[in-house]
């Protein structure tokens, strides 16, 4: 497996534990719809939460969350819509990003609730 995939997998594990520690109920990890994947699907009191995890070794080229561009957002919305329909979810959907800097010197986590809104 490529080194960047290993980093991404480690980042998703860190994000998953972070959400569990905050009391989120995890429904799915790495849920796929076509070619799109939702890293984490969770639920809290009010929302079904679609979480995109972005992990980098450093923020030298910007915060990892900045790499969730409009195209990626559109694909996440499409996959989330399929998940909601397939599972007959009644709750409102929220899109979060968890940005992680992960290297031998540090692990830095930034949770961005409501990171973006679906374009109607």
């Amino acid at each position: 497996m490529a080194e960047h995939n290993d980093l991404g997998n480690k980042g998703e594990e860190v994000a998953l534990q972070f959400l569990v520690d905050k009391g989120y109920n995890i429904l799915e990890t790495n849920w796929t719809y076509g070619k799109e994947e939702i890293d984490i699907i969770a639920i809290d009191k009010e929302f079904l939460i679609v979480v995109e995890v972005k992990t980098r070794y450093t923020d030298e080229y910007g915060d990892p969350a900045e790499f969730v561009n409009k195209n990626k957002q559109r694909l996440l919305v499409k996959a989330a819509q399929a998940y909601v329909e397939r599972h007959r979810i009644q709750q409102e959907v929220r899109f979060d990003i968890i940005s992680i800097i992960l290297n031998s010197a540090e692990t830095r986590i930034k949770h961005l609730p409501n990171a973006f809104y679906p374009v109607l």
Side-chain angles (χ1 to χ4, degrees):
M1 184 176 287
E3 188 175 340
H4 71 276
N5 289 339
D6 289 341
L7 179 65
N9 291 337
K10 288 177 188 173
E12 287 178 17
E13 290 172 16
V14 168
L16 188 61
Q17 190 59 55
F18 173 83
L19 292 172
V20 167
D21 290 347
K22 289 188 144 261
Y24 288 76
N25 181 21
I26 306 303
L27 299 178
E28 306 270 357
T29 58
N30 302 311
W31 188 82
T32 58
Y33 173 73
K35 293 182 179 180
E36 183 51 46
E37 178 181 270
I38 299 175
D39 294 330
I40 301 171
I41 300 174
I43 200 160
D44 73 358
K45 298 173 189 112
E46 301 177 58
F47 298 99
L48 177 79
I49 303 160
V50 173
V51 182
E52 175 67 10
V53 180
K54 283 295 180 192
T55 308
R56 299 288 187 266
Y57 289 113
T58 177
D59 59 2
E60 181 178 349
Y61 298 106
D63 187 284
E66 295 172 13
F67 294 91
V68 182
N69 61 30
K70 294 292 183 194
N71 185 52
K72 178 65 174 176
Q73 291 174 17
R74 191 175 72 256
L75 293 171
L76 285 168
V77 169
K78 185 176 178 181
Q81 182 177 5
Y83 185 87
V84 165
E85 290 172 5
R86 186 170 295 164
H87 296 282
R88 297 187 174 134
I89 302 293
Q90 298 298 313
Q91 289 172 292
E92 188 174 343
V93 178
R94 187 177 88 197
F95 294 89
D96 292 7
I97 298 173
I98 295 184
S99 171
I100 300 175
I101 301 298
L102 181 62
N103 57 54
S104 60
E106 67 177 330
T107 299
R108 214 176 339 146
I109 304 168
K110 183 169 34 171
H111 182 197
L112 303 164
N114 290 311
F116 64 90
Y117 298 93
V119 177
L120 301 175

